[in-house]
Amino acid sequence: MARSPASRGARAATLSDVARLAGVSVATASKALNGRNHVHAQTRARVLEAAQQLSFSPNSLARGLLAGRSGTVGLLTSDLVGRFSLPILMGAEDAFGAGQVSVFLCDARGDAIRERHHVQALVSRRVDGLIVVGSSTDPRPPLVEGVDVPVVYAYAPSEDPADLSIVPDNVGAGRMAVEHLIACGRTRIAHISGDRDYSAARDRVVGAEAALEAAGLEPVGEVAYGTWSEGWGRAAAGLVLDRHPELDAILCGSDQVARGVLDTLRERGRAVPEDVAVMGFDNWEVVATGSRPGLTSVDMNLEELGRTAARAMFDAIDNEHARGVQTTQCRVVIRGSTAPVA
Amino acid sequence: MARSPASRGARAATLSDVARLAGVSVATASKALNGRNHVHAQTRARVLEAAQQLSFSPNSLARGLLAGRSGTVGLLTSDLVGRFSLPILMGAEDAFGAGQVSVFLCDARGDAIRERHHVQALVSRRVDGLIVVGSSTDPRPPLVEGVDVPVVYAYAPSEDPADLSIVPDNVGAGRMAVEHLIACGRTRIAHISGDRDYSAARDRVVGAEAALEAAGLEPVGEVAYGTWSEGWGRAAAGLVLDRHPELDAILCGSDQVARGVLDTLRERGRAVPEDVAVMGFDNWEVVATGSRPGLTSVDMNLEELGRTAARAMFDAIDNEHARGVQTTQCRVVIRGSTAPVA
DNA sequence: CTGTTAGCGCGTTCAC
DNA sequence: GTGAACGCGCTAACAG
């Protein structure tokens, strides 16, 4: 039963192995490897070399067990395939990756049962915190129970105002969009939005109308709600142009809608941006850069949102946690559809 | 120093807590909770209730430390933002999620230094296996060293033939594409591909040409290599149509290229699919379904690839691991650009 | 400066 | 059927 240097088939080296090879005790080896004081420089060197030689890698499980913290966090998404989760996830992974924490990724696929299952697994793995990423900006029910670690909701806020949620500033995005169009000299701005059932659509409209009013401008026609698709953009553009041929700009609820609008404008011989300026939301690269001309769009800064959520989680782990809904800034990315390229 | 029932601020319940509450020893509690035999039904019930009451969640760190397996795997991507990693990742997460293993996600962002850093962290966390997801199907250097757990390469194969790699069958995809066009009655098929530097582009061409030859057909013109963009598709379509107005189908290296081709065809008044059939590769939903008509495309089945990689990793953990490059099947998704909708 | 001791939470022998 | 004891790998106390 005595521990042999190398047990079954190249088992990972342990601290005892290192200590034995260096001719010291495990405690000394531990101190040496962790850069603690009270260890002779020469001894430290011997230990380090032994560790190197055995390609020793400290067992985080044992360390975590002892420390009470695992150095891991859970990232729980409800819709990984959707295009919004990914950048958030990247931002979070980025913020964590810089430190010493690793990220557990779970996709609940919008299923509450599966979500509970994943939460249970994460709790069992003693994650130090949890980020819950929603698939739309509509509020979602909070995690049910038994979660004793800090939770931050990203993109979709929690319905419980006592929770901390980080969401993009859609109202601000709508405002910035209109302000950009005005800065481009447009005054007759129509608005073809997306699905009215989404708060993202409604919030952007709120911001856009506020900006129009602040500039003393009237909207051109009613806001046209529909779906988040190219097809809707094509159809709606036709209707709006029939009714308001005098318009000089169309603000679109998303980049996809904008692509459809661009198609219809080209078919009708309206020049973009000279005659009509067009812009969208989301700044979805493949959609926004593939069009002719390139599509000006409001970037929701989702990666930054992910980073913010991660930092908020760090703060919540250390100190006490903040509460309420916090928004992150968006930014306008200018392309040819609103301003002629230089 | 005696363990108090509830230490500092609602610390997570431990097995001892459960045992004490149920009035049994930790050993009995363990057996009861794990469904082992040799425990009285009534005792088991008491333990279960105690666990419930304390919302006890077994500490996976301790369990993993003891068992020698952590029940976790690492998913190492080099380009999470790229559109190919995500479905693979989803498939893998899906295959693992069904079991008891959790997934560590790491994005190396194409940086070798960062990759080593992540691998080191994963080894330290004692993952039971590792899936390395590449961003293109070109071979990549194998993980450097010191990884004693099974590694499966997905999408991008390892340069070392002794490693196990799972990649999409691009040659088969090219073949299937041409076979579909032939089945639609086309005989004069041009090929506008993507970036020649990508093996995916070259492999698809190989498969396409093989299928043409098998059917006794000649390609229409040379394969036009360029970039994976809509702009290239638009430009190349113009050139090809000028030189070969007689063509009745254009096979495109990707969906984006195909979108550009569709644009040019519409501008020139060539009807799709009546006059010219068009198809692409990748079946990228937003691109393929947004066009008029919808774009027929070869789906690379990346989610299935991810599941396959996950299963291969399971096998590698249990038994000994397979070697070499293994391919997964693709499938044609038919839309309006090759066949009129019913 | 170094070594010995004592657990972190759990599963698994082996006595009773 | 139940419980006491041991150890997974590591770090934080103390003792020398």
Side-chain angles (χ1 to χ4, degrees):
Chain A
M1 291 303 170
R3 292 165 244 155
S4 58
S7 307
R8 45 187 170 160
R11 206 57 197 153
T14 166
L15 187 59
S16 324
D17 298 335
V18 175
R20 198 174 313 125
L21 182 58
V24 296
S25 73
V26 286
T28 305
S30 173
K31 287 172 202 157
L33 288 172
N34 293 340
R36 317 280 300 172
N37 291 335
H38 305 295
V39 47
H40 200 78
Q42 203 164 345
T43 310
R44 181 182 309 253
R46 279 218 317 282
V47 173
L48 256 55
E49 191 186 317
Q52 178 86 22
Q53 196 171 326
L54 271 52
S55 62
F56 167 74
S57 177
N59 188 328
S60 294
L61 272 53
R63 190 179 292 198
L65 182 59
L66 196 55
R69 296 175 300 96
S70 64
T72 62
V73 300
L75 216 46
L76 185 59
T77 86
S78 45
D79 172 29
L80 193 48
V81 74
R83 65 184 179 286
F84 301 122
S85 300
L86 186 59
I88 297 171
L89 188 150
M90 285 197 57
E93 202 268 353
D94 185 47
F96 289 132
Q100 307 295 345
V101 319
S102 296
V103 174
F104 280 118
L105 178 69
C106 308
D107 184 6
R109 283 170 182 64
D111 177 11
I113 306 290
R114 205 184 295 247
E115 181 173 291
R116 294 183 72 126
H117 187 73
H118 276 140
V119 169
Q120 180 52 44
L122 291 171
V123 167
S124 182
R125 297 204 183 280
R126 296 296 187 267
V127 291
D128 298 330
L130 208 48
I131 295 182
V132 179
V133 183
S135 55
S136 87
T137 52
D138 295 289
R140 54 151 286 154
L143 253 37
V144 270
E145 52 173 316
V147 182
D148 283 330
V149 296
V151 179
V152 176
Y153 295 82
Y155 202 68
S158 166
E159 283 169 354
D160 185 346
D163 292 327
L164 174 60
S165 307
I166 318 282
V167 302
D169 181 10
N170 276 307
V171 174
R175 186 170 35 70
M176 292 171 73
V178 166
E179 285 171 354
H180 170 65
L181 290 172
I182 292 175
C184 291
R186 311 297 161 151
T187 55
R188 299 181 300 278
I189 304 172
H191 195 155
I192 298 175
S193 184
D195 192 331
R196 164 181 261 138
D197 292 340
Y198 285 71
S199 64
R202 299 191 303 270
D203 287 347
R204 288 165 184 177
V205 168
V206 167
E209 292 186 338
L212 283 176
E213 193 178 326
L217 294 176
E218 289 288 322
V220 171
E222 300 267 306
V223 174
Y225 285 101
T227 68
W228 301 108
S229 66
E230 289 196 50
W232 164 244
R234 285 193 291 263
L239 297 174
V240 171
L241 283 169
D242 286 345
R243 265 190 241 171
H244 307 283
E246 78 282 10
L247 60 79
D248 62 8
I250 303 179
L251 178 58
C252 305
S254 76
D255 291 339
Q256 286 178 89
V257 172
R259 278 295 291 256
V261 168
L262 285 177
D263 268 7
T264 297
L265 285 170
R266 182 170 332 112
E267 274 175 10
R268 300 210 173 190
R270 307 287 296 255
V272 176
E274 295 78 6
D275 187 6
V276 180
V278 176
M279 67 182 293
F281 288 92
D282 298 340
N283 190 32
W284 196 0
E285 278 287 319
V286 60
V287 178
T289 62
S291 68
R292 277 176 307 173
L295 183 64
T296 294
S297 185
V298 182
D299 191 302
M300 306 308 287
N301 266 344
L302 295 182
E303 235 178 290
E304 177 58 24
L305 193 154
R307 275 192 290 270
T308 302
R311 283 193 292 259
M313 240 210 49
F314 269 137
D315 294 347
I317 291 176
D318 297 342
N319 327 322
E320 279 322 296
H321 64 285
R323 292 158 185 281
V325 176
Q326 181 178 329
T327 60
T328 56
Q329 284 296 320
C330 308
R331 69 176 202 278
V332 176
V333 175
I334 301 173
R335 296 198 183 86
S337 69
T338 57
V341 278
Chain B
M1 291 304 170
R3 291 164 248 155
S4 56
S7 308
R8 43 185 171 163
R11 208 57 197 154
T14 166
L15 187 58
S16 325
D17 298 335
V18 175
R20 197 174 313 125
L21 181 59
V24 297
S25 73
V26 287
T28 305
S30 172
K31 287 171 200 157
L33 289 172
N34 293 339
R36 317 278 301 172
N37 292 333
H38 304 293
V39 47
H40 201 77
Q42 201 163 346
T43 310
R44 182 184 309 260
R46 280 219 316 284
V47 173
L48 256 55
E49 191 185 319
Q52 178 87 23
Q53 196 171 325
L54 271 52
S55 62
F56 168 75
S57 177
N59 188 329
S60 294
L61 271 53
R63 189 178 290 196
L65 183 58
L66 197 54
R69 295 175 302 95
S70 65
T72 63
V73 300
L75 216 47
L76 185 59
T77 85
S78 44
D79 172 29
L80 192 47
V81 74
R83 63 184 179 286
F84 300 121
S85 299
L86 186 59
I88 297 172
L89 189 149
M90 285 197 56
E93 203 267 354
D94 186 46
F96 289 132
Q100 307 296 344
V101 319
S102 296
V103 174
F104 280 118
L105 178 69
C106 308
D107 183 8
R109 283 171 181 63
D111 177 12
I113 305 292
R114 205 185 294 248
E115 181 173 290
R116 293 182 71 127
H117 188 74
H118 276 140
V119 169
Q120 181 50 44
L122 292 171
V123 167
S124 183
R125 297 203 183 281
R126 295 297 186 269
V127 291
D128 298 331
L130 208 47
I131 295 183
V132 180
V133 184
S135 55
S136 88
T137 52
D138 295 290
R140 53 150 288 154
L143 252 38
V144 271
E145 51 173 316
V147 183
D148 282 330
V149 296
V151 178
V152 176
Y153 296 81
Y155 202 67
S158 166
E159 283 169 354
D160 185 346
D163 292 327
L164 174 60
S165 308
I166 318 281
V167 302
D169 182 9
N170 276 306
V171 175
R175 187 171 34 70
M176 293 172 73
V178 165
E179 285 170 354
H180 170 66
L181 290 172
I182 292 174
C184 291
R186 312 296 163 150
T187 55
R188 298 181 300 276
I189 303 172
H191 195 155
I192 299 175
S193 185
D195 191 331
R196 164 181 260 138
D197 293 340
Y198 284 72
S199 64
R202 299 191 304 270
D203 287 347
R204 288 166 185 176
V205 167
V206 167
E209 292 185 340
L212 282 176
E213 193 178 327
L217 294 175
E218 289 287 324
V220 171
E222 300 267 306
V223 174
Y225 287 101
T227 69
W228 301 109
S229 67
E230 285 190 48
W232 164 245
R234 285 194 290 264
L239 297 173
V240 171
L241 284 170
D242 286 343
R243 266 189 241 172
H244 308 283
E246 78 281 10
L247 60 79
D248 61 9
I250 303 180
L251 178 58
C252 305
S254 75
D255 291 338
Q256 286 178 88
V257 172
R259 278 296 291 256
V261 168
L262 285 177
D263 267 7
T264 297
L265 285 170
R266 182 169 334 112
E267 272 175 12
R268 299 210 174 190
R270 306 288 296 256
V272 176
E274 295 79 6
D275 187 5
V276 179
V278 176
M279 67 182 293
F281 289 92
D282 298 340
N283 191 32
W284 195 1
E285 279 286 320
V286 60
V287 178
T289 62
S291 68
R292 277 176 306 173
L295 182 65
T296 294
S297 185
V298 182
D299 191 303
M300 305 310 286
N301 266 342
L302 294 182
E303 234 178 291
E304 176 60 23
L305 192 155
R307 275 191 290 269
T308 302
R311 283 192 292 259
M313 240 211 48
F314 269 138
D315 294 346
I317 291 176
D318 298 342
N319 327 322
E320 279 321 297
H321 64 285
R323 292 157 185 281
V325 177
Q326 182 178 328
T327 60
T328 56
Q329 285 295 321
C330 310
R331 68 178 203 278
V332 176
V333 175
I334 302 173
R335 297 198 182 86
S337 70
T338 59
V341 279

